[in-house]
């Protein structure tokens, strides 16, 4: 009697450990996905419905900084726009993911464009005008998010498959053995 209770307790604890570890792995992968660029991708997708308006560019420049023995470049910009009632300020040029680029090329093109066109089209969220962007096109850096997304799909499928197997295996062990006729 005591051994069957102990065995049942061990089985329940093993199942709880598998559920907890599966949830932890999936949660960790979701956190990685969010910090790798999920937030920017969400903003990029929602920006497809944002209102277009004209922005007055106040500043556009390239900032260089040292990182891991190399020089990286980041585009910084500031602009303003008005909706029906208020004036808002923004500083997001695009939804690129990461710490900038090791090449000045793309940033230099954007700076030339912004300096030559002091008034440019930009997009703002009508529900929250503090969110705005000048360039809402797809960024290749979004492809970096495929790595944690693939891992999330792989581990999520494995975790769900393991849980399903645990549930169905319990049912199989409770079935009566077949008796010969």
């Amino acid at each position: 009697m005591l051994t069957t209770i102990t065995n049942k307790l061990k089985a329940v604890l093993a199942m709880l450990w598998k559920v907890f570890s599966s949830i932890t792995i999936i949660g960790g992968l979701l956190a990685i996905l969010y910090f790798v660029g999920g937030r920017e991708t969400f903003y990029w997708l929602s920006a497809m419905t944002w209102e277009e308006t004209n922005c007055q560019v106040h500043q556009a420049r390239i900032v260089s900084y040292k990182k891991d023995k190399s020089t990286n470049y980041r585009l910084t910009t500031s602009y303003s726009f008005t909706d029906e009632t208020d004036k808002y300020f923004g500083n997001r040029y695009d939804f690129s993911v990461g710490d900038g680029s090791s090449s000045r090329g793309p940033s230099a093109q954007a700076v030339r464009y912004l300096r030559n066109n002091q008034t440019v089209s930009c997009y703002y969220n009508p529900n929250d005008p503090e969110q705005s962007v000048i360039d809402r096109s797809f960024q290749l850096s979004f492809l970096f998010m495929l790595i944690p997304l693939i891992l999330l799909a792989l581990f999520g499928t494995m975790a769900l498959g393991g849980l399903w197997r645990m549930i169905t295996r319990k049912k199989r062990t409770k079935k009566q053995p077949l008796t010969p006729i």
Side-chain angles (χ1 to χ4, degrees), residues 5 38 41 53 61 74-75 77 96-97 99 110 115 121 123-124 145 155-156 159 164-165 167-168 177:
I5 293 173
T41 304
T53 188
R61 65 187 177 110
R74 177 177 283 283
L75 170 66
T77 180
S96 58
V97 178
D99 262 352
R115 285 186 179 164
S121 292
Y123 305 89
Y124 73 97
M145 287 188 7
F155 284 119
W164 177 256
R165 186 166 179 234
I167 292 168
T168 58

Side-chain angles (χ1 to χ4, degrees), residues 45-56:
L45 288 171
S46 65
M48 296 301 132
T49 63
W50 291 358
E51 299 287 327
E52 182 176 2
T53 188
N54 288 326
C55 292
Q56 182 67 36

Side-chain angles (χ1 to χ4, degrees), residues 139-156:
Q139 303 295 316
L140 287 177
S141 58
F142 292 160
L143 297 178
F144 284 116
M145 287 188 7
L146 288 179
I147 296 168
L149 190 61
I150 290 169
L151 290 175
L152 179 65
L154 180 68
F155 284 119

Side-chain angles (χ1 to χ4, degrees), residues 70-137:
S70 66
T71 303
N72 283 4
Y73 304 95
R74 177 177 283 283
L75 170 66
T76 62
T77 180
S78 65
Y79 53 88
S80 62
F81 62 94
T82 57
D83 65 359
E84 293 82 28
T85 57
D86 293 320
K87 184 173 186 175
Y88 297 97
F89 294 91
N91 59 6
R92 182 182 289 262
Y93 177 72
D94 62 12
F95 293 109
S96 58
V97 178
D99 262 352
S101 171
S102 59
S103 169
R104 284 180 75 106
S107 296
Q109 288 175 338
V111 167
R112 277 194 298 276
Y113 169 73
L114 293 173
R115 285 186 179 164
N116 290 337
N117 303 300
Q118 290 294 310
T119 302
V120 297
S121 292
C122 68
Y123 305 89
Y124 73 97
N125 183 350
N127 299 323
D128 183 10
E130 299 289 326
Q131 294 179 346
S132 62
V133 67
I134 292 176
D135 180 13
R136 65 177 182 180
S137 63

Side-chain angles (χ1 to χ4, degrees), residues 16 18-19 37-38 41 61 67 105 116 142 148 163-164 171 179:
L16 287 175
K18 289 176 184 177
V19 169
T41 304
R61 65 187 177 110
K67 182 178 181 187
N116 290 337
F142 292 160
L163 289 173
W164 177 256
K171 288 180 182 176
T179 56

Side-chain angles (χ1 to χ4, degrees), residues 1-16:
M1 169 99 174
L2 186 59
T3 57
T4 56
I5 293 173
T6 306
N7 289 340
K8 286 182 179 181
L9 182 62
K10 284 181 182 178
V12 167
L13 289 176
M15 183 180 73
L16 287 175

